Amino acid sequence: MLHVEEKRAKEAVWTPLKPVRKGHVYRIGWVESGNFLCTSKLLEFLNYSFPNIPSNRWDQRPNLSSGVGSQLSETLYKAKLGMFLTVNSLVAHVGNEDSKMNSDLRASEQLNTYMFEDGAEALERLLKEPPSVVATLATKWSRLRS
């Protein structure tokens, strides 16, 4: 994990494992869907695929997140694969005001960058004028609804 979010920096998320400091990283029990680095061993373990997320996940809570982070975290935790969080944020979250996935949730629960590696001034500059970012999204066809 490359982004330290203040609310999640010291608590268990999706699995019972609470963060434990190990030098310059924390051993954690969770990952966010697009915010981590891995080796090819993880992709091989997943068979270059992703476990299905049931489409009824959103029936009662339409603003619920994608489920990718929780599903991946639970899968890796059960397999006893290590997940780690950098002590300082190496990336900044700049999309609270214009969230594409959970705009209603982000209005009340923002993801704020904590301990940005380049310092508070650099983070403030990024928040004021974020650079253009290109991102991709992989999804299962079953999630798409008409």
Side-chain angles (χ1 to χ4, degrees), residues 71-109:
Q71 183 78 13
L72 186 56
S73 297
E74 291 168 11
T75 300
L76 300 178
Y77 178 78
K78 287 176 185 171
K80 296 182 172 37
L81 294 175
M83 295 170 271
F84 299 89
L85 170 68
T86 57
V87 171
N88 293 334
S89 290
L90 303 180
V91 297
H93 188 277
V94 296
N96 285 312
E97 297 78 24
D98 190 28
S99 175
K100 303 297 184 221
M101 183 183 292
N102 286 318
S103 56
D104 292 341
L105 181 64
R106 288 300 149 249
S108 62
E109 292 182 32

